[in-house]
Structure formats: C-alpha cells, structure tokens
Amino acid sequence: MAQQQEHEGKPESSLEPDMGTNSTMIPSTSWFTPKRLLAIFCVINLLNYLDRGAIASNGVNGSQRTCEGGTCKSGTGIQGDFNLNNFEDGVLSSAFMVGLLVASPIFASLAKSVNPFRLIGVGLSVWTLATLCCGFSFNFWSIAVCRMLVGVGEASFISLAAPFIDDNAPVSQKTAWLAIFYMCIPAGYAIGYIYGGLVGNHFGWRYGFWVEAILMSPFAILGFVMKPLQLKGFAPTDSEKALTLGTVASEVSDVGASNGKDEALSLKAEFRDKSSHEPSRSKCTILDQFSRFLKDMKELLLDKVFVVNVLGYIAYNFVIGAYSYWGPKAGYSIYNMTNADMMFGGITVVCGILGTVAGGFVLDFMTNTISNAFKLLSIATFIGGACCFGAFLFKSQYGFLALFAVGELLVFATQGPVNYVCLHCVKPSLRPLSMAMSTVAIHIFGDVPSSPLVGLMQDKINNWRTTALILTTIFFPAAAIWFIGIFLPSVDRFNEDSEHEVSSVERTSTAPLLEENTAETSASGQSREC
C-alpha cells in the first residue's frame, strides 16, 4: 500500500509519451453521438436504395427504340442510348446483386483483421467511384461492370452498419433503432423513383448517377478522417501491439516505483530489443482468412436459431420480391387498375415505412428478446398473409386495396425483429457474417428466383388471381417456421465475452459512443487472431 502511494506521488513514467506515439491518436469526436450515428447510417442507407429506385425509374432506365409504319422513334435513357433489349436491361439489376452477394461475406470476414468502420469507408468509396463511372459508361458491358462494383461497395455497409447501430442503441430501444434504419429501404426506393424521373427527364440519365456520387462522397470521406469506431467483439487492428505495450507499461511502472528509474528504463529497452526481433503475428495469409471464414461459417450454420430465422426470412422474401415485380401487373389484370404502378408503389411505401417502424417499437414494448421476436414474426406474418390472401379474393378494387394495405402493414412489421434475431443469436464477433449470410440467403433463395418462377407459373395457369393466391400462401410456411423458433432454446449473446478482451490502452485507437458498451476489461496476453 505504501509502495502504491509512493508510486502515485511520483511523476508519470517516461514510457507514456512513447506509447502515445505508438497509438493511433485521432482528434476527438465527442459530437458523434449514438443518435447522430443512426442518422448518418440512415442517410447512407437511403442513398443506397435511392440508387436502386433511380435506375428502375423511366427517367434513368428509359425505353427502347421503336419503329411503326416505317417511322422510327429513338429510345430514351440507358436502354435507348445503348440500344438494350429487355434481357440486357434486366441484367443491369442482376449485375448489382452479383457484386453485393459475392462481396458481403468477404467484408464480413475482413472485419476480423481490419477495423470495421474503416471497411465501411472503403466500401462507400468503391460505391461512390462506381456510381460516378456509371455516368461515364459508354456501352452495355461498361455499365454492367460498374453496377457490379456498386453492389460490391454497398456490401460492406450492409454487413456492418446494423451491428454498429445495435451496439450503440439504448437497451430498451434496440429493435426500434434497427426498424428506423430498415425503414429507409422502402423510403429510398420511393424517393429514387421520383428522383430518377425528375433528373433523368430534365438533365439526362448520366446526371442522376453523378449527383448520387456527390451526395455519397462526404460519407465515404468520413469513414477515413474520423476516429474509427469500436465494434463489439472485435479488437482494434493494432490490438496485439497495444495490449503488449499496456502490459509492459504496467510492469515498468511497478519496477520503476520499487527499484528506481534506471531499472525501469533497462526493462523498457529490453522489451524494445525483443520486440524488434520478434516476427509479426498480425500478418494473416489468405489461407488463414479462408480457414477462419470456414470455421465461422460452420459455427453459424450449426446455430439452430440463426438457421430457423433465415429460413423463415427466405420464404417471406420470396413473396415480397414477387409482389414488388409482378404486383402492378397482377393488379392491372385482376382489377383493371389504370394506375397500378402508383397504387402498388404508394401502398408499399406508406405501409413499408409505418409497418417497419411499428414492428420495432412493438417488440421493444414487449421486451426485446429472441423468443418475443419469433412470436411477433410468426403472428404478424400469419395475420398479414391472411389479409393479403383475403384481399385477392375481393372482386371490388377498393376492398382489395384496403385489406391488402392492412396485410402489407403487418408483414413489413417483421423487418426490425428478424434482423434483431440475426444480431443477437450469435456472439458479437460473428454478427457481420450473420448479417452478410442472411442477406445472401434471402436474395439467392428468395427474391431472385421468385420473379421468374411466378412468371413461369402464370404462363401455365394464365390467371393472375390464382397465381397471386398461390404466391401469397407462402407467407404461411414462413409464419410456421418462425413459430418453431419460439420453442428453440435461445440465448441473447450480445453481452457474451468476445474472443478478444479490449484493454484501456487499445481504446486510444477507437472511439466508443456509449460508455457502457466499452467497460474496461482486464488485459490478456492472447495474440491477435486473423
């Protein structure tokens, strides 16, 4: 005790300035509060989906060249300028999805060895440059490649944004914050349709992409210039060095207090001599990364809660994807809607925003647990599916629209809870991979095959009402799968000890937003993992 008091009375060790030199000291970001983080991520998500809506709009996508009675009318937009047929035009959307699905697991795996916040900065930079190049494209292949790169750029954000939001959201409002974030999907699509039409028709389709790149560039720069945020379950990139320095600093301080300054400096010099000859263990080979990825994938696929959640999500997304593509055509055929696009688009946007936010707040009100999330998922999907099924039985257009709106309101309430389960059923270090593989699965097995399969079914049946009713019944298996999840043994692993304990020294290179998310833990001598 006397020794400790003697040490406290002395000036700080000369090792501290050296440690400061070895740390990544970046200017403080005290203004960067959790709510501002949510707002920034929402704007980025809005821009991502604005881009998807814009390229689907008539102002940007355009129309084919047409010839009637010997008189030819030039096409408009991308399709007209590059003389694309409908198949090539459809490939542009698929090209984006290829980049997204391939890159999502890669970015999730890289989060093990690269600061996740920096990865978002890299992804947004790729997105910005790719979108800019879309405006300079000169033929079908050039814009197809650029659209792939847009998907690659978005992949890092899709995998890592939700874990950051979940880390910093208040405990009682986690699902609500996730719901607000995912609300930007239907909102972004809607704004994109309007934006693409206005910019494309008045200035040309190329300006639509250029303006998007300008709007995203400040967020891409922010990912590099600000102090990197710490993601729960991941040690900073210089963790091994900082951790060892922290341990040695403590030892040197103790030795300096008991045996004098000379011996402390001697120990410090000895450590530096050893560390200079010690090979770096932080360099990971591609094989190491791949091995780690396979190990994480095995752990993820053996998690019954994760698998059940994603299986239900796939069935759900199969219906939603087909609705978004074939809904207007089915409405026009069944009810002779002259403005089917506007009707379905308006219902989807309004109900998507209200339903998504409501689902998050309802789960938080119920107490956000995995079991309660499955209860909400199964009940909302079952009742919502029943309403949509009943809507297509109506002969009246107005009866259909009213009941279909209620159904969509309920089925969109699943967005917050389903992503909450993805984040909380796995340990913190697996959350980016969990989000990435969930995204890959719902697209590969959900909305990507659903549109052509429903089209094939319609070709055989040749009755849109029957086709729509058969499609809607898939909501019920989705509800049943999520109902099974209620009875699975589930543990919220958000607060589970991560593979790397983060010391106070390591925190000098990161900027946590909530104090409780970064409570000091004891330093361990583990080597940093790839």
Side-chain angles (χ1 to χ4, degrees):
M1 189 73 180
Q3 189 181 44
Q4 183 181 358
Q5 289 173 351
E6 180 184 350
H7 172 65
E8 288 175 354
K10 289 186 179 184
E12 293 186 3
S13 166
S14 61
L15 180 62
E16 229 175 314
D18 292 33
M19 286 185 63
T21 305
N22 286 301
S23 300
T24 311
M25 298 303 291
I26 301 174
S28 174
T29 54
S30 58
W31 62 273
F32 202 56
T33 62
K35 287 184 179 179
R36 285 175 181 157
L37 172 73
L38 176 64
I40 289 172
F41 278 2
C42 281
V43 173
I44 294 172
N45 207 27
L46 201 69
L47 289 174
N48 280 327
Y49 283 90
L50 178 146
D51 172 72
R52 298 195 200 183
I55 198 171
S57 68
N58 288 328
V60 172
N61 184 264
S63 59
Q64 289 178 302
R65 181 172 177 263
T66 57
C67 293
E68 290 182 8
T71 304
C72 292
K73 184 180 179 182
S74 61
T76 61
I78 297 172
Q79 199 171 16
D81 282 8
F82 297 150
N83 195 27
L84 305 182
N85 57 38
N86 287 328
F87 173 77
E88 290 172 327
D89 190 37
V91 166
L92 295 183
S93 176
S94 300
F96 163 83
M97 198 61 71
V98 168
L100 178 69
L101 299 185
V102 170
S104 291
I106 295 174
F107 275 112
S109 297
L110 285 175
K112 291 274 186 178
S113 54
V114 182
N115 185 280
F117 197 76
R118 290 289 185 252
L119 284 177
I120 291 178
V122 170
L124 294 182
S125 298
V126 173
W127 191 97
T128 302
L129 291 174
T131 307
L132 188 68
C133 291
C134 283
F136 289 106
S137 55
F138 48 88
N139 61 17
F140 165 72
W141 288 108
S142 64
I143 193 168
V145 170
C146 288
R147 292 309 298 171
M148 283 186 192
L149 292 175
V150 170
V152 170
E154 186 179 331
S156 67
F157 182 75
I158 291 296
S159 304
L160 300 169
F164 272 117
I165 292 172
D166 192 55
D167 273 357
N168 296 289
V171 176
S172 61
Q173 297 176 13
K174 285 185 178 295
T175 324
W177 280 41
L178 287 172
I180 291 171
F181 175 71
Y182 285 105
M183 173 198 72
C184 297
I185 295 177
Y189 263 120
I191 296 172
Y193 288 136
I194 299 169
Y195 163 81
L198 291 174
V199 175
N201 291 330
H202 288 84
F203 302 102
W205 63 270
R206 296 181 187 274
Y207 282 89
F209 293 117
W210 293 337
V211 173
E212 287 175 17
I214 292 171
L215 293 174
M216 185 65 85
S217 57
F219 300 103
I221 295 170
L222 185 67
F224 293 102
V225 299
M226 72 166 289
K227 198 170 186 178
L229 299 180
Q230 178 182 307
L231 186 61
K232 188 177 179 67
F234 293 89
T237 54
D238 61 344
S239 61
E240 182 182 359
K241 184 176 181 181
L243 187 60
T244 311
L245 280 171
T247 305
V248 171
S250 177
E251 291 176 2
V252 169
S253 297
D254 291 340
V255 171
S258 58
N259 298 329
K261 190 174 181 180
D262 291 339
E263 189 170 342
L265 292 173
S266 173
L267 178 60
K268 176 183 168 184
E270 183 182 347
F271 165 74
R272 282 180 173 170
D273 183 61
K274 284 183 180 179
S275 62
S276 63
H277 293 90
E278 190 176 297
S280 173
R281 289 175 293 179
S282 63
K283 294 181 179 178
C284 303
T285 65
I286 296 176
L287 187 61
D288 294 328
Q289 292 279 8
F290 187 67
S291 176
R292 166 55 54 184
F293 173 75
L294 291 179
K295 181 181 175 183
D296 289 344
M297 278 298 300
K298 180 180 179 182
E299 184 174 349
L300 202 60
L301 294 176
L302 289 175
D303 190 319
K304 294 179 182 178
V305 174
F306 173 79
V307 172
V308 167
N309 187 53
V310 172
L311 286 175
Y313 204 6
I314 289 170
Y316 164 89
N317 217 52
F318 187 95
V319 184
I320 294 296
Y323 272 179
S324 64
Y325 191 81
W326 293 114
K329 186 166 288 190
Y332 178 80
S333 175
I334 299 170
Y335 298 104
N336 296 316
M337 293 182 189
T338 55
N339 54 349
D341 286 335
M342 293 296 293
M343 287 287 192
F344 271 84
I347 289 174
T348 300
V349 169
V350 174
C351 295
I353 292 173
L354 295 178
T356 302
V357 175
F361 279 98
V362 168
L363 181 56
D364 287 335
F365 179 78
M366 293 169 62
T367 303
N368 46 31
T369 64
I370 293 175
S371 177
N372 281 344
F374 276 125
K375 290 175 186 175
L376 182 57
L377 287 170
S378 58
I379 293 171
T381 304
F382 182 83
I383 299 175
C387 289
C388 291
F389 187 88
F392 282 108
L393 293 174
F394 266 93
K395 292 185 178 180
S396 164
Q397 174 181 325
Y398 298 105
F400 162 78
L401 290 174
L403 198 56
F404 188 74
V406 175
E408 287 232 308
L409 192 71
L410 288 167
V411 296
F412 272 110
T414 61
Q415 289 299 306
V418 73
N419 286 287
Y420 177 88
V421 175
C422 275
L423 288 168
H424 285 253
C425 70
V426 298
K427 61 185 180 183
S429 61
L430 282 182
R431 289 184 305 164
L433 187 62
S434 172
M435 296 303 298
M437 296 315 300
S438 171
T439 302
V440 168
I442 64 173
H443 289 310
I444 289 181
F445 303 109
D447 55 4
V448 170
S450 69
S451 295
L453 287 176
V454 169
L456 183 64
M457 182 168 61
Q458 170 60 17
D459 289 339
K460 297 291 184 183
I461 298 174
N462 197 28
N463 185 314
W464 271 114
R465 189 187 297 274
T466 304
T467 299
L469 288 170
I470 294 173
L471 171 66
T472 304
T473 58
I474 299 177
F475 273 136
F476 302 125
I481 294 170
W482 279 328
F483 183 74
I484 293 171
I486 299 172
F487 304 99
L488 291 176
S490 59
V491 177
D492 191 326
R493 304 179 69 182
F494 177 78
N495 290 317
E496 184 174 298
D497 289 339
S498 63
E499 296 168 7
H500 297 290
E501 297 294 346
V502 183
S503 70
S504 57
V505 177
E506 291 173 336
R507 287 195 190 90
T508 60
S509 63
T510 57
L513 296 185
L514 290 184
E515 203 63 46
E516 59 265 28
N517 286 345
T518 55
E520 264 189 45
T521 54
S522 59
S524 67
Q526 301 177 40
S527 63
R528 181 171 156 265
E529 143 184 316
C530 295

